[in-house]
Amino acid sequence: MERRCHMKKILAFCLAAAMVLGGCSKGTENTEGETALTVVTSFYPVYLLAANVTDGVEGVTLKNMTQPQTGCLHDYELTTEDMKTLEGADVLFINGLGMESFMDKVMGQYPDLFIVDTSTGSVTLEGDDHGHAHEGEEEGEEEVNAHIWLNPSNGVKQAEVICDALSQADPTNADKYAANTATFAESMESVIAQAEAINAAPGTEVAVFHEGFPYLTDLCGLEVGVGIYADENEEPSAKEMAEAAEEIKEDGIKLLLAADDAGMKYAETLAAETGATVVELNPITSGELNKDVYRLGMERNLQILADALS
Ligand SMILES: [Zn+2]
């Protein structure tokens, strides 16, 4: 997998961030002069990262805009409940890289909302060009893989962006945000070491059934030989499945990495056809609203991968 920074996009985000920073909300002060800051995240993984940064900081209310079982936001539409949550927000943290494309339509309704794109500085992988265009994209246009949180180094970068923005909105607690972020970064060092220890044999290929998993495989030195990405609105064609089965057999792919979602049945079908094994991993897009779930999910994924490869 090729790593590349999409400088043009990052620059565009920086400019957008600079624009929204102009209208930066400083939170409101209560009668004791303490900050009361309402921090909202767009979806689950961003919530977990923000929860690590804001852990134990008084006066901060952290809310996730979408229901924790929503999953990725690719085809999401805002609900009236979400809009209410946004109205009360001082800061909104988004994943960025197109994950929250639904925000483009409604941005004008929240002129005072401080929107922060947490993808700034993350290392991105190329998106999968599987012949279909998402809304607003040209067919075949190269896209960036937005599932950056599945690389713990990116998770740390996202937490740092959150920390910087909160320190600006709430300077009184800047030291606390910084200390929390440092603790989080330190905990990710052992996760990164766990991934590096997997050290797959060069050229080991796997098949992936969730668009986020290339960030995990890249981390462990695995190559994506086959990628089949399905969701509620989209399923692989019979031709795609036949080609995938062929490649799995030809390339000697043993592991089919799938999440407990729409992609699972395709992994199971291909496992039955090829004799390869389905390995279930967690894309960390839904679950408990608990800051430790990010680290625990990563550790568990890496343990499962290490066991499957041994
Ligand atoms: Zn996704």
Side-chain angles (χ1 to χ4, degrees), residues 43 71-74 99 145-147 149-150 210-212 231 261 283 285:
F43 82 131
C72 277
L73 300 179
H74 303 293
M99 185 61 81
N145 187 331
H147 307 78
W149 66 90
L150 285 167
H210 187 285
E211 261 183 296
D231 61 31
D261 64 9
T285 52

Side-chain angles (χ1 to χ4, degrees), residues 8-144:
K8 243 165 80 185
K9 292 219 172 181
I10 288 169
L11 189 66
F13 283 125
C14 291
L15 289 173
M19 274 155 65
V20 291
L21 279 169
C24 167
S25 166
K26 296 282 182 192
T28 45
E29 289 196 348
N30 66 16
T31 44
E32 284 93 45
E34 289 158 350
T35 316
L37 197 67
T38 302
V39 176
V40 176
T41 53
S42 61
F43 82 131
Y44 188 70
V46 186
Y47 176 93
L48 296 184
L49 296 168
N52 277 281
V53 178
T54 59
D55 184 41
V57 181
E58 267 177 55
V60 173
T61 307
L62 179 62
K63 290 182 186 168
N64 196 39
M65 183 185 75
T66 48
Q67 293 301 310
Q69 71 277 13
T70 306
C72 277
L73 300 179
H74 303 293
D75 298 308
Y76 192 75
E77 302 262 355
L78 279 186
T79 67
T80 42
E81 196 60 35
D82 297 341
M83 292 184 193
K84 261 187 233 152
T85 306
L86 285 181
E87 274 159 29
D90 294 305
V91 187
L92 170 68
F93 289 109
I94 61 170
N95 179 77
L97 301 174
M99 185 61 81
E100 293 88 354
S101 53
F102 59 88
M103 281 302 293
D104 297 350
K105 282 185 239 163
V106 297
M107 210 85 102
Q109 292 171 35
Y110 308 97
D112 298 328
L113 185 58
F114 177 23
I115 302 175
V116 179
D117 181 327
T118 64
S119 71
T120 306
S122 280
V123 175
T124 58
L125 296 173
E126 264 176 56
D128 179 66
D129 177 15
H130 42 114
H132 71 274
H134 290 282
E135 208 181 329
E137 281 168 4
E138 295 291 320
E139 184 87 18
E141 185 186 335
E142 185 201 327
E143 42 177 314
V144 179

Side-chain angles (χ1 to χ4, degrees), residues 48 63 107 173 175 229 264 275 295-296:
L48 296 184
K63 290 182 186 168
M107 210 85 102
N173 288 313
D175 289 351
Y229 306 123
M264 182 55 90
R295 177 179 53 79
L296 295 170

